[in-house]
Amino acid sequence: MPRIRLEHITKQFSKGSKAVDQLDLVIEDGDFVSLLGPSGCGKTTTLRMIAGLETPTEGEIYFDDQCVFSQDKGINISPDKRNVGFLFQNYALWPHMTVRRNIAFGLENMKWEKSRVESRVKEICDTMRIAEYIDRYPAELSGGQQQRVAIARTLAPNPRVLLMDEPLSNLDAKLRNDMRAELKRLHMNTGATFIYVTHDQSEAMTLSSKVCLMKLGVLQQYSPPLELYGSPQNIFCADFMGNPSMNFVPCKGTPRDGAIELEAESFSLLFHPNSPAEIRSGQELVLGIRPEAVKIVPSGGIESKVISSLPTGLDTILSLNARGTILSAIDFGIVDYKMDSIIRFTFEGNRFVLFDKESTNQITLGSLSLRA
Amino acid sequence: MNRKLNKVKSFLSKPYNILLILLLIFLTYLVVLPLISIIRDTFVVHASEKSRIKQAVGSFTLYHWLRAFASNFSSILIWEPLWHSVYTSVLACGVSILIGGGFAWLVARTDMMWKKVLTKLFIFPYIMPSWTLALAWRNFFKNAVVGGAPGIFTAVTGIAIPNWFAYGPFPIIITTGLHYAPFAYILIGGVLRNMDANLEEAAIILKTNKMRMFTRITIPMVMPAVMSTIILVFSSSMSSFAVPQFLGLPVRFYVLTTEMYSTIQGTNPGVGYIIAILMIVISVAIMLVNQYMIGTRKSYATVTGKSANISLFHLKGARLPLSLLACLIVLCISLIPMISFILQSVILTDGDYSLSNMTLDFWIGLSKGGNDYQDKAGILRNADVWKTLFNSLKLSVTCAIGAGTVGFLAGYSIVRRRGSWLSRLVENLTFIPYLIPSMAFAAIYLSMFSQQRGIIPSLYGTFAILALIGTIKYLPMASRSGVNSMMQLSPEIEEAGVIMGVPWWKRMVRIIIPIEKTTIVSGYLLPFVSCMRELSLFVILVTANNRVLTTLLFFYDEKGWAQYGNAINLLIIFIVLLVNFIVEKLTGASIEKGVGGK
């Protein structure tokens, strides 16, 4: 299984704007990497460039030490020689072939023996649990079944790398959850390198070993999902990850004895950084507070009014008005709050994030306490 | 009893129910009864058959059926024309698909040059009357063997054209095939352009080589479009009349339509009616085959996707030669025919194309009072031509208003009552005229209305019969577009008016019609254009009194007045192009948009 390396990859379409801009990325052997970002961030283009379906305008791509693309050296190995599997968003099953023919087609291209083709088709169909539909046409299958056939077709030749372009986005919510679990098992069983494009942050969180978050063609952060969630590099990353999303409170900071005094519109707080941080006195900052760090307790130091309360049974999402600042909070278990009632909360934990307002970059993580 | 009465009352309180009932009566009278009438007509003696059958006119006889199927003449009357029709149509399909499909591939998938101009010109025949290419062929290649002066080709090169090249099956196949090639281009090109690029990318990733890709993925994907092209071209060319009449008659090459024309105009209309029934049966059979194919497991209507990134196939060294070849074919089917019509309409003596032999007499010359055709007034100065032109326009306007209005109302009421047997019945009835080949339909109306029927007097030779048949024949066109547009309009829009107590006519005038403006306009304009260039529907129904431009062209041609014929042809083409231009400007819909032209 190869290690995939992208160096200074840039893709500019004829219209002028850059779909991908100077992307450097190393995907380790056996990784499950998600390319994540809002639509138009260049994630699908990146995937297609790795597959060879799209030609970069600049840069180099390596599979292990083999260069498969280089603008400078004029190398561009065609997609069929890169030994990758590609799973399309709309499955791209050939409508005029049965499931069996769809899966066997690629194997026949590789000049496999007939009996070997047959046994491999049977084997993969059993794995994907589509053996009973083997003689049907794609139009006669449900979305989920088509999805399995597409995966089977892609996996049949045992590709070294599996590239997936939003493969679950055409499925309904329940099926999508089932397929997520299945994909994760598949990754473990095949040991192949998976590269997965999605715009759904929870999908990227739950599936991948590493997430590559992009915005307008530029890499924002490339790290394991929990690190991306817990220690976002900038406001965009912090905002993109998590649902309900992070609260952002603009404030002014003053350093004091290793801690930072924060002066927001409606409260004064003391920020204790986990590791020493330098700020200028009076620097404009943004404080990031995850909703789960807003802890509702009767003894809480801040009083607030419940604007809305949305219980699901698993948790309840609250919107609170604390002295004019609107914060979202989450409370777990079967609880509900009366609208317009007054409750008290406190800030808990040490994963509050301080961003510089101007550059939007993270300064440090830390914990909060109220200032009298 | 009261309950029943209330039921009837509430049924009739819905305007669309009343419309459906009216349509049912209207269509039964104008579509179903004529069908019965033509069957009956194959068993009775007609006036022109008195002497050969020796029975009273109108009495029962099996003569026609026996003569058609169990006599020495059956091969000449039925089997030979049928065979001719079938094989010319099949081969014409081949020509269409080869030329149209090939062109579609060049445009959609390769880096051929001058795509924009070429596609515009390629669909030219699609707008033209069906005989355009046939007439042009004759202008170029007619020879002295059959009589008259040789055509442009021989005049220029001095090479004599053999009969098989000038007349008969070969030119019929080529001109029909080329005329319908735009169908193939539009249908196949649409698939090639909109086909999901991922389907081919998936094959590339799975290491498919170019050859296998083409035969196993691309070709099967366009197969449904190829099949619909075949069905369309086959049935169109089976029912085409003008082309075999112009190119087949000089060498006595008869197909079903021309045979039907000659029997109905001649001494045995009964056999002509049998041929009409035969053509209807064939047409229905084709439709059933089509339905069957749509219903099979492998069918896939449209497989479209985001095809933004289809990579064009580089023709490399073949780019220029192929582009030039495409250019040549396109010129042959678009501009060159026009030039031949112009040339042919200005020469004084046939076969001499020198400048000194040219005159505008046939366009604007004054009548010299003599009896020879050269003494007639030019077509722009000829009162007869103006009268005919006016009659054509009047007819087209009448048919357009008739078909457009009935079609829109039919679409409205069919969709509002969708699912009920009444709505289904009316929908099927509006579709029947589409299944009947034009000339067979004309034969039906001839048999039905050539004598007094109930309160309707004999309509033969009147304007009314042409207006009636045109309206009914183009009804499917208008009602299809009516149904389609009404399907997209949710009933809530009208119900909002119902709740507020707006009366039906006001809902139509103030809500529905303004929303559906564009479709209604095209529902009127399409029949208009079709009617202007229609020949086979009218040719057996006209007399000197109710002549239209197309039949006047036919009449001049039969007389051998080539100059007038070509001039009239240009006049028709001019009007058709003009109206088409107006349609595009008004509705914003152009034919090539259907192919996704850039």
Side-chain angles (χ1 to χ4, degrees):
Chain A
M1 303 293 143
R3 172 173 186 264
I4 297 169
R5 199 166 79 221
L6 278 67
E7 286 182 1
H8 314 300
I9 285 295
T10 297
K11 173 72 187 182
Q12 186 157 18
F13 286 109
S14 48
K15 300 269 158 56
S17 70
K18 283 179 181 167
V20 177
D21 197 1
Q22 294 292 326
L23 178 66
D24 288 302
L25 199 64
V26 176
I27 293 158
E28 295 295 341
D29 175 23
D31 259 358
F32 192 139
V33 169
S34 291
L35 301 176
L36 175 68
S39 58
C41 74
K43 52 195 190 300
T44 296
T45 309
T46 306
L47 193 76
R48 290 173 59 87
M49 286 191 293
I50 295 172
L53 294 172
E54 207 86 63
T55 313
T57 13
E58 253 179 70
E60 296 183 336
I61 300 174
Y62 291 90
F63 282 20
D64 283 333
D65 292 324
Q66 189 203 2
C67 177
V68 294
F69 177 83
S70 168
Q71 178 62 30
D72 296 338
K73 297 175 201 150
I75 297 171
N76 188 9
I77 293 186
S78 68
D80 51 313
K81 305 220 165 55
R82 293 194 188 186
N83 283 326
V84 294
F86 200 109
L87 197 56
F88 292 90
Q89 179 172 11
N90 59 4
Y91 319 141
L93 295 174
W94 298 303
H96 56 292
M97 296 184 197
T98 58
V99 169
R100 187 197 301 275
R101 303 283 320 122
N102 259 288
I103 299 172
F105 194 79
L107 304 177
E108 288 162 6
N109 288 336
M110 298 193 323
K111 307 265 184 289
W112 282 24
E113 272 170 47
K114 220 174 165 184
S115 59
R116 194 164 154 228
V117 169
E118 247 168 63
S119 65
R120 177 63 181 152
V121 169
K122 210 183 147 334
E123 180 191 19
I124 196 80
C125 282
D126 285 337
T127 316
M128 293 312 299
R129 287 180 280 127
I130 46 173
E132 48 183 314
Y133 316 118
I134 197 158
D135 287 315
R136 291 211 197 161
Y137 286 96
E140 297 165 328
L141 300 175
S142 72
Q145 290 158 353
Q146 287 184 21
Q147 169 73 275
R148 281 166 207 282
V149 176
I151 295 175
R153 184 179 72 178
T154 313
L155 288 182
N158 287 316
R160 305 188 294 164
V161 179
L162 186 55
L163 308 172
M164 292 177 273
D165 184 7
E166 309 215 16
L168 305 187
S169 63
N170 288 348
L171 300 179
D172 61 60
K174 169 135 181 26
L175 211 51
R176 199 163 6 184
N177 268 329
D178 297 347
M179 284 306 295
R180 276 184 199 173
E182 226 161 306
L183 279 179
K184 211 163 178 173
R185 285 213 72 78
L186 212 60
H187 177 241
M188 188 184 74
N189 293 339
T190 58
T193 306
F194 278 30
I195 307 178
Y196 187 98
V197 162
T198 179
H199 63 264
D200 180 343
Q201 53 91 19
S202 77
E203 208 161 274
M205 284 295 292
T206 48
L207 288 177
S208 13
S209 55
K210 258 180 140 180
V211 178
C212 164
L213 181 56
M214 298 171 74
K215 176 190 169 191
L216 297 173
V218 180
L219 176 66
Q220 302 293 312
Q221 187 169 355
Y222 182 45
S223 54
L226 291 178
E227 188 183 323
L228 179 58
Y229 184 85
S231 175
Q233 299 273 291
N234 57 34
I235 294 183
F236 172 80
C237 296
D239 192 30
F240 198 82
M241 305 305 291
N243 182 30
S245 47
M246 191 180 242
N247 298 297
F248 295 104
V249 183
C251 49
K252 269 200 176 71
T254 318
R256 170 148 312 172
D257 309 332
I260 300 166
E261 276 183 17
L262 297 178
E263 207 56 52
E265 200 185 352
S266 41
F267 0 70
S268 301
L269 298 162
L270 200 58
F271 185 88
H272 311 281
N274 296 347
S275 53
E278 289 279 312
I279 65 154
R280 301 183 308 276
S281 185
Q283 191 175 343
E284 299 263 7
L285 303 168
V286 173
L287 174 65
I289 304 167
R290 288 275 176 215
E292 61 270 27
V294 179
K295 190 84 185 163
I296 297 160
V297 278
S299 59
I302 307 172
E303 194 181 76
S304 69
K305 191 160 146 188
V306 177
I307 299 173
S308 71
S309 166
L310 309 171
T312 66
L314 173 68
D315 53 25
T316 299
I317 296 168
L318 294 162
S319 185
L320 303 174
N321 184 344
R323 306 178 206 163
T325 302
I326 308 292
L327 292 175
S328 53
I330 192 157
D331 197 7
F332 296 95
I334 301 184
V335 281
D336 194 8
Y337 296 89
K338 252 214 173 79
M339 312 266 267
D340 279 350
S341 63
I342 304 293
I343 57 156
R344 306 186 74 82
F345 69 83
T346 182
F347 294 119
E348 197 186 67
N350 64 350
R351 302 213 72 102
F352 297 90
V353 198
L354 211 53
F355 300 97
D356 174 44
K357 188 173 179 186
E358 205 191 332
S359 68
T360 78
N361 286 335
Q362 186 203 108
I363 297 170
T364 183
L365 299 178
S367 50
L368 278 182
S369 62
L370 281 176
R371 224 147 44 96
Chain B
M1 206 51 220
N2 227 338
R3 220 176 111 209
K4 266 201 179 136
L5 197 70
N6 279 338
K7 256 189 171 169
V8 171
K9 253 192 197 158
S10 97
F11 180 82
L12 290 181
S13 71
K14 309 269 177 10
Y16 41 76
N17 284 331
I18 298 176
L19 274 177
L20 282 176
I21 298 280
L22 288 177
L23 281 167
L24 187 64
I25 297 167
F26 175 75
L27 291 168
T28 309
Y29 191 74
L30 291 172
V31 176
V32 181
L33 284 187
L35 272 175
I36 298 168
S37 155
I38 196 173
I39 294 171
R40 186 185 147 269
D41 253 312
T42 63
F43 292 104
V44 299
V45 179
H46 303 91
S48 55
E49 294 157 346
K50 230 172 16 183
S51 56
R52 61 162 69 211
I53 306 181
K54 298 187 176 66
Q55 264 179 257
V57 171
S59 60
F60 175 85
T61 177
L62 284 174
Y63 177 84
H64 310 306
W65 286 97
L66 292 174
R67 192 170 141 83
F69 290 104
S71 78
N72 294 334
F73 298 100
S74 69
S75 135
I76 289 178
L77 286 173
I78 303 284
W79 302 120
E80 219 169 73
L82 175 63
W83 166 237
H84 289 165
S85 276
V86 168
Y87 89 75
T88 52
S89 301
V90 167
L91 293 175
C93 286
V95 172
S96 286
I97 284 166
L98 222 62
I99 303 282
F103 188 73
W105 183 76
L106 283 174
V107 169
R109 288 303 175 85
T110 72
D111 58 346
M112 185 179 70
M113 292 181 264
W114 317 306
K115 280 184 193 172
K116 215 170 160 180
V117 177
L118 289 184
T119 43
K120 266 243 175 313
L121 286 176
F122 191 82
I123 52 151
F124 206 60
Y126 185 81
I127 316 166
M128 296 290 99
S130 62
W131 60 81
T132 311
L133 293 176
L135 264 191
W137 186 281
R138 224 180 44 182
N139 284 343
F140 269 96
F141 299 121
K142 68 183 169 187
N143 60 18
V145 182
V146 177
I152 300 171
F153 184 81
T154 308
V156 172
T157 63
I159 302 168
I161 298 287
N163 252 354
W164 68 266
F165 192 87
Y167 305 104
F170 177 73
I172 292 177
I173 289 164
I174 299 289
T175 53
T176 312
L178 285 176
H179 179 76
Y180 293 115
F183 279 148
Y185 164 68
I186 289 169
L187 290 168
I188 297 173
V191 175
L192 283 178
R193 221 180 264 267
N194 297 325
M195 187 176 140
D196 187 359
N198 289 349
L199 291 174
E200 290 180 323
E201 286 173 354
I204 293 179
I205 295 252
L206 289 169
K207 306 180 198 303
T208 316
N209 63 40
K210 281 219 162 73
M211 193 59 212
R212 198 163 138 93
M213 171 85 95
F214 191 66
T215 55
R216 301 290 299 277
I217 308 283
T218 314
I219 294 271
M221 290 308 300
V222 297
M223 233 18 221
V226 171
M227 288 317 289
S228 12
T229 312
I230 289 177
I231 295 215
L232 206 61
V233 176
F234 185 81
S235 49
S236 301
S237 81
M238 280 294 281
S239 58
S240 122
F241 166 71
V243 175
Q245 181 76 11
F246 288 150
L247 292 174
L249 227 53
V251 290
R252 303 194 168 282
F253 181 83
Y254 281 94
V255 298
L256 283 181
T257 46
T258 49
E259 181 68 38
M260 175 159 79
Y261 178 73
S262 81
T263 48
I264 287 183
Q265 299 292 63
T267 55
N268 197 352
V271 170
Y273 295 134
I274 291 176
I275 297 177
I277 291 172
L278 182 65
M279 289 182 65
I280 295 169
V281 169
I282 292 172
S283 165
V284 170
I286 295 171
M287 203 45 64
L288 289 177
V289 169
N290 190 26
Q291 299 256 306
Y292 169 77
M293 283 190 324
I294 290 171
T296 54
R297 292 172 75 202
K298 266 169 87 172
S299 73
Y300 33 92
T302 37
V303 189
T304 55
K306 21 178 197 177
S307 51
N309 30 41
I310 294 181
S311 55
L312 293 182
F313 184 83
H314 292 283
L315 296 170
K316 293 178 190 139
R319 187 167 178 221
L320 188 66
L322 273 176
S323 303
L324 285 174
L325 179 70
C327 208
L328 184 73
I329 292 178
V330 164
L331 285 179
C332 281
I333 62 174
S334 57
L335 291 184
I336 292 176
M338 299 302 124
I339 294 169
S340 89
F341 300 143
I342 295 172
L343 267 183
Q344 207 68 30
S345 71
V346 296
I347 54 166
L348 207 51
T349 327
D350 266 349
D352 177 2
Y353 295 92
S354 62
L355 207 57
S356 61
N357 189 38
M358 292 190 184
T359 170
L360 284 177
D361 269 6
F362 299 103
W363 286 90
I364 51 171
L366 279 173
S367 169
K368 301 179 187 76
N371 244 345
D372 187 44
Y373 81 97
Q374 295 209 345
D375 297 334
K376 283 167 71 77
I379 63 157
L380 298 179
R381 287 254 177 111
N382 189 326
D384 270 357
V385 173
W386 282 105
K387 206 182 103 192
T388 314
L389 171 61
F390 180 71
N391 201 40
S392 261
L393 289 172
K394 190 170 87 177
L395 179 62
S396 300
V397 169
T398 313
C399 292
I401 291 177
T405 310
V406 177
F408 167 70
L409 291 175
Y412 168 78
S413 46
I414 285 169
V415 172
R416 279 290 173 273
R417 286 277 292 156
R418 198 147 193 91
S420 72
W421 63 269
L422 185 61
S423 149
R424 236 188 332 254
L425 184 65
V426 171
E427 190 172 9
N428 287 332
L429 282 180
T430 59
F431 191 63
I432 291 178
Y434 177 78
L435 283 181
I436 305 176
S438 295
M439 196 170 238
F441 203 52
I444 293 177
Y445 268 55
L446 187 65
S447 106
M448 173 91 174
F449 293 110
S450 59
Q451 48 197 292
Q452 187 163 353
R453 299 268 177 187
I455 52 161
I456 300 184
S458 164
L459 293 177
Y460 182 63
T462 61
F463 178 79
I465 192 168
L466 300 185
L468 211 54
I469 195 170
T471 302
I472 300 296
K473 180 69 191 169
Y474 302 128
L475 187 58
M477 218 183 252
S479 77
R480 263 299 85 200
S481 89
V483 166
N484 285 343
S485 63
M486 287 306 297
M487 293 278 266
Q488 282 158 20
L489 187 73
S490 82
E492 283 92 347
I493 288 180
E494 200 190 340
E495 281 160 6
V498 176
I499 298 247
M500 290 160 78
V502 183
W504 180 75
W505 63 270
K506 214 168 175 178
R507 296 201 300 266
M508 290 306 267
V509 175
R510 303 296 291 277
I511 302 173
I512 309 277
I513 293 178
I515 294 176
E516 298 289 329
K517 218 167 33 202
T518 10
T519 19
I520 294 172
V521 170
S522 64
Y524 283 108
L525 287 175
L526 278 176
F528 183 90
V529 180
S530 310
C531 193
M532 270 315 289
R533 59 178 184 209
E534 181 71 65
L535 174 64
S536 46
L537 188 63
F538 299 138
V539 70
I540 57 175
L541 295 174
V542 292
T543 61
N545 295 324
N546 58 356
R547 211 175 264 157
V548 290
L549 269 190
T550 50
T551 62
L552 184 67
L553 159 70
F554 185 70
F555 170 74
Y556 282 168
D557 192 84
E558 274 190 321
K559 293 249 180 200
W561 301 350
Q563 290 87 337
Y564 292 116
N566 278 282
I568 298 269
N569 194 27
L570 277 173
L571 189 61
I572 295 170
I573 289 173
F574 173 73
I575 295 172
V576 167
L577 282 182
L578 186 71
V579 174
N580 211 67
F581 177 76
I582 297 171
V583 175
E584 277 190 24
K585 279 283 160 279
L586 278 184
T587 63
S590 73
I591 299 156
E592 67 275 37
K593 281 243 177 74
V595 199
K598 285 182 222 169

